Amino acid sequence: DIQKAKAAGFHTCQGLLMNTKKVLGQIKGLSEAKVDKLIEGATKMLPSAGWSTASEYERLRTREVVRITSGSAAVDELLGGGFETRSITEMFGEYRTGKTQICHTLCVTTQMPVELRGGAGKVAYLDTEGSFV
């Protein structure tokens, strides 16, 4: 059965789990019962893989997200408590409006302890404009 799955292009457990039973049922020589056995075995090998709902993912993500202070109570309030970790925040605006200043402040607050509304993390600052002199 594993050889049949490999011949059909499914080489990993994750590859099996990321496809529907309908797709896997189209593999020549695999019955529905054999597909169920393959999925069961792959699930045992990778218990964290597979499908989850958006609600489940949000619940898991919420436990891991830390909000880092911007250094300004007003900005933190606009952001719902600060900058979120595990996400990308895009800033744009006119020249000399404080974008670089916020980034420099975040470099500091990201390294502060969580108790002080920091991220207790590390920072790599990439200055593509040469403005950090």
Side-chain angles (χ1 to χ4, degrees):
D1 296 341
I2 294 172
Q3 294 304 324
K4 291 175 185 174
K6 282 184 177 181
F10 300 99
H11 300 281
T12 64
C13 292
Q14 188 171 8
L16 287 170
L17 293 173
M18 297 312 286
N19 282 281
T20 62
K21 286 184 181 181
K22 184 177 179 180
V23 170
L24 297 174
Q26 295 173 353
I27 298 173
K28 189 173 182 176
L30 288 185
S31 66
E32 190 174 326
K34 287 183 178 182
V35 167
D36 288 339
K37 286 265 190 194
L38 278 174
I39 291 172
E40 182 182 334
T43 303
K44 286 180 182 176
M45 297 292 290
L46 292 173
S48 63
W51 300 97
S52 63
T53 65
S55 298
E56 291 170 348
Y57 180 76
E58 180 189 17
R59 207 171 19 261
L60 291 172
R61 183 182 176 279
T62 302
R63 293 181 197 151
E64 299 173 355
V65 170
V66 175
R67 293 193 176 270
I68 300 171
T69 183
S70 65
S72 164
V75 173
D76 287 349
E77 185 178 338
L78 286 172
L79 295 172
F83 287 91
E84 281 189 356
T85 58
R86 302 182 60 88
S87 64
I88 296 174
T89 303
E90 181 178 6
M91 291 185 287
F92 60 92
E94 296 288 326
Y95 178 71
R96 300 182 56 84
T97 56
K99 300 178 301 291
T100 302
Q101 183 64 40
I102 289 176
C103 290
H104 291 173
T105 302
L106 282 172
C107 286
V108 174
T109 58
T110 297
Q111 298 175 75
M112 290 177 9
V114 176
E115 300 81 38
L116 298 176
R117 300 195 54 227
K122 297 181 180 179
V123 175
Y125 188 91
L126 305 176
D127 181 11
T128 60
E129 297 178 345
S131 60
F132 187 45
V133 182

